[in-house]
């Protein structure tokens, strides 16, 4: 049976559009669709930037084109999984439920699938870089950006040599970088790091926001000032038939012309009601944000083999990362935040780790590290925009442009085959 054909609106301008999700992806989609002349309302059960958009590292990681599901990854996984505080962990209580996702992750790490995913990721990142600059210009948002680059650290010649193919791939896809081969060279960019880090790669064009929550709030402020609406309502059900789409909210039902589902780690629950069963899982990420003066951080620093980063947030320092696969319902384990902070203290002598605030957020993750961008199988009037993992902020402006193309029935700037909801 084919997709439902919704006929109650023109495919051009002036439609009523509901965006489900007030995180950075949903807000960016709403702002872009509004700019094309549509009447847009955002619905979110908790309000603006209340989940993953509130506490991430604030990085626009355009150089990160390599999928997490990589050849050889499964050989490393058992070692990581045996360490409950390591960079990748699976909560035992969740392991059985996670098995189907892990099988798809394993298949995505095969060389053929990996190559396809990397090509698609590179294309999406190229669009994301250009789309962010367009978004910054459109909203006059430059003051909320930090163009300080990123330093990826290595602890040995062997580790550094193993990273070179990845740097070559990034370079082939347009990323500028400098390779550093001594602690002294590293210190010229970021003083105060442990000299155990002997090599590094520096990407000078890397961008951070001064605060991811603040950036999302700023864009939402632009959207509201231009006539958009935001309602704190839970979408309890999403339905579509041959003539309409409908959202059942806490207090009433709405029937917009189009719907964009951008509810992050909760998106698959609504998609299931339309007949789309998508393998979305949750990377639970942890961090601690330290106040201003904790450390003189001059660039975004990635401790790759330890699975965490240090980023500058509102003049303070955010220490966070790691991947814990544990779903949406189990309680957080803030020991992970404490472990990361202790490691940071060793790697960044002089770090003042007092006065920090802890956070855990849910990253919506697909097995092949690619998001889901495309129409529901039930109706072209429902567009999916979720599953970005830890790259939601990075790819938000690009996703917004692609969603707008789909809503307007225009050819997208890049192929969407690799991010299609039907790929699984």
């Amino acid at each position: 049976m084919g997709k439902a054909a919704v006929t109650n609106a023109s495919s051009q301008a002036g439609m009523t559009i509901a965006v489900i999700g007030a995180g950075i992806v949903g807000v960016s989609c709403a702002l872009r669709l509004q700019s094309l002349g549509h009447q847009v309302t955002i619905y979110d059960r908790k309000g603006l930037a209340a989940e993953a958009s509130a506490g991430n590292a604030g990085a626009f990681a355009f150089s990160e084109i390599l999928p997490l599901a990589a050849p050889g990854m499964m050989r490393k996984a058992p070692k990581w999984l045996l360490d409950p505080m390591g960079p990748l962990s699976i909560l035992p209580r969740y392991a059985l439920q996670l098995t189907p996702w892990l099988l798809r992750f394993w298949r995505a790490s095969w060389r053929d699938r990996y190559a396809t995913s990397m090509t698609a990721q590179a294309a999406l990142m190229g669009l994301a870089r250009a789309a962010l600059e367009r978004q910054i210009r459109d909203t006059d948002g430059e003051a909320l950006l930090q163009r300080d680059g990123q330093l990826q650290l290595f602890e040995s010649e062997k580790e550094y040599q193993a990273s070179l193919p990845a740097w070559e791939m990034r370079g082939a896809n347009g990323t500028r970088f400098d390779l550093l081969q001594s602690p002294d060279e590293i210190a010229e960019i970021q003083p105060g790091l442990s000299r155990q880090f002997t090599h590094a790669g520096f990407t000078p064009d890397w961008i951070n926001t001064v605060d991811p929550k603040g950036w999302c709030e700023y864009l939402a402020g632009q959207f509201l000032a231009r006539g958009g609406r935001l309602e704190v309502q839970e979408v309890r059900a999403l339905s579509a038939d041959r003539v309409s789409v409908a959202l059942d909210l806490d207090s009433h039902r709405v029937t917009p012309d189009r719907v964009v589902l951008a509810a992050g780690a909760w998106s698959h629950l609504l998609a299931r009601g339309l007949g789309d069963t998508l393998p979305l899982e949750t990377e639970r990420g942890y961090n601690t944000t330290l106040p201003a003066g904790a450390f003189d951080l001059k660039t975004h620093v990635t401790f790759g083999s330890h699975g965490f980063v240090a980023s500058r947030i509102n003049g303070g320092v955010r220490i966070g990362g790691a991947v814990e696969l544990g779903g949406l319902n189990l309680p957080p384990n803030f020991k992970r935040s404490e472990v990361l902070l202790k490691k940071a203290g060793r790697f960044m002598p002089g770090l003042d780790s007092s006065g920090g605030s802890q956070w855990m957020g849910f990253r919506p993750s697909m097995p092949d590290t690619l998001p889901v961008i495309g129409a529901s199988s039930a109706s072209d009037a429902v567009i999916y925009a979720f599953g970005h993992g830890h790259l939601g902020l990075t790819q938000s402006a690009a996703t917004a442009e692609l969603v707008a193309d789909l809503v307007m029935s225009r050819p997208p700037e890049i192929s969407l085959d690799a991010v299609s909801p039907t790929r699984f």
Side-chain angles (χ1 to χ4, degrees):
M1 188 172 182
K3 292 182 182 179
V6 177
T7 59
N8 65 334
S10 164
S11 64
Q12 298 306 311
M15 289 186 281
T16 59
I17 300 177
V19 175
I20 305 173
I24 189 60
V25 174
V27 168
S28 293
C29 288
L31 190 60
R32 178 66 175 171
L33 290 164
Q34 180 188 61
S35 74
L36 298 173
H38 302 299
Q39 301 172 43
V40 185
T41 302
I42 303 173
Y43 298 93
D44 193 282
R45 65 193 178 91
K46 285 189 174 180
L48 185 61
E51 296 290 354
S53 295
N56 61 66
F60 294 94
F62 302 123
S63 61
E64 297 307 294
I65 63 170
L66 306 181
L68 182 61
M73 173 64 70
M74 299 307 288
R75 290 195 300 271
K76 301 175 184 177
K79 177 183 176 182
W80 288 342
L81 296 176
L82 288 172
D83 180 1
M85 294 294 115
L88 172 64
S89 70
I90 295 175
L91 295 180
R93 287 173 289 173
Y94 197 68
L96 185 61
Q97 186 174 339
L98 188 64
T99 299
W101 188 93
L102 288 173
L103 290 172
R104 288 189 171 98
F105 181 86
W106 169 67
R107 180 63 182 93
S109 73
W110 293 14
R111 293 193 180 278
D112 60 335
R113 295 281 181 90
Y114 176 77
T116 298
S117 295
M118 185 174 65
T119 299
Q121 195 74 282
L124 185 54
M125 289 301 197
L127 176 61
R129 182 184 295 278
L132 174 64
E133 297 296 347
R134 287 190 282 269
Q135 189 179 61
I136 293 168
R137 290 193 298 271
D138 176 61
T139 61
D140 195 24
E142 184 63 38
L144 281 83
L145 279 298
Q146 299 170 147
R147 299 177 184 267
D148 298 328
Q150 178 246 14
L151 195 62
Q152 185 165 335
L153 299 172
F154 306 102
E155 293 180 79
S156 67
E157 177 72 25
K158 180 180 179 181
E159 192 177 288
Y160 166 72
Q161 290 292 332
S163 78
L164 293 181
W167 288 111
E168 291 174 6
M169 291 176 191
R170 294 184 183 107
N173 285 281
T175 298
R176 291 197 308 134
F177 61 87
D178 298 311
L179 297 178
L180 313 177
Q181 303 191 45
S182 75
D184 290 337
E185 286 185 273
I186 293 171
E188 290 179 12
I189 294 172
Q190 178 58 66
L193 297 176
S194 168
R195 293 182 68 84
Q196 73 190 76
F197 297 103
T198 57
H199 298 72
F202 181 66
T203 48
D205 299 327
W206 182 286
I207 303 171
N208 281 59
T209 176
V210 298
D211 176 13
K213 189 174 192 295
W215 175 242
C216 189
E217 290 173 338
Y218 177 79
L219 295 181
Q222 294 285 307
F223 166 73
L224 295 171
R226 299 174 188 186
R229 296 177 60 214
L230 170 64
E231 290 193 22
V232 181
Q233 293 260 5
E234 182 170 1
V235 179
R236 298 190 175 277
L238 170 62
S239 57
D241 58 30
R242 295 196 62 82
V243 296
S244 66
V245 291
L247 277 64
D248 291 322
L249 306 174
D250 285 329
S251 59
H252 61 289
R253 167 176 274 212
V254 295
T255 55
D257 298 322
R258 299 290 185 270
V259 172
V260 177
L261 177 54
W266 290 264
S267 298
H268 63 305
L269 303 177
L270 289 171
R272 193 179 302 157
L274 297 176
D276 292 324
T277 302
L278 294 163
L280 185 144
E281 266 302 336
T282 305
E283 298 177 30
R284 295 148 57 101
Y286 292 84
N287 67 44
T288 302
T289 304
L290 303 172
F295 189 83
D296 186 14
L297 196 64
K298 299 183 180 299
T299 186
H300 183 97
V301 178
T302 300
F303 302 92
S305 63
H306 298 275
F308 75 96
V309 304
S311 55
R312 188 154 51 92
I313 303 292
N314 289 326
V317 176
R318 180 165 290 166
I319 304 294
V323 174
E324 179 185 76
L325 296 167
L328 294 167
N329 299 317
L330 295 178
N333 177 10
F334 284 112
K335 289 183 180 178
R336 294 187 68 82
S337 297
E338 295 163 9
V339 166
L340 296 180
L341 192 58
K342 287 179 181 178
K343 283 187 176 182
R346 296 199 308 269
F347 301 158
M348 304 164 67
L351 176 70
D352 182 354
S353 59
S354 63
S357 59
Q358 296 177 325
W359 178 85
M360 188 272 283
F362 301 104
R363 310 181 192 112
S365 182
M366 302 299 289
D368 56 5
T369 322
L370 292 170
V372 175
I373 304 172
S376 163
S377 66
S379 173
D380 287 334
V382 180
I383 306 298
Y384 294 154
F386 57 81
H388 297 77
H390 59 282
L391 297 171
L393 175 64
T394 302
Q395 297 174 344
S396 55
T399 300
E401 293 190 359
L402 294 169
V403 165
D405 288 338
L406 292 170
V407 167
M408 300 293 286
S409 300
R410 301 184 306 208
E413 187 167 333
I414 62 174
S415 171
L416 298 183
D417 290 347
V419 297
S420 167
T422 64
R423 69 187 189 268
F424 295 103

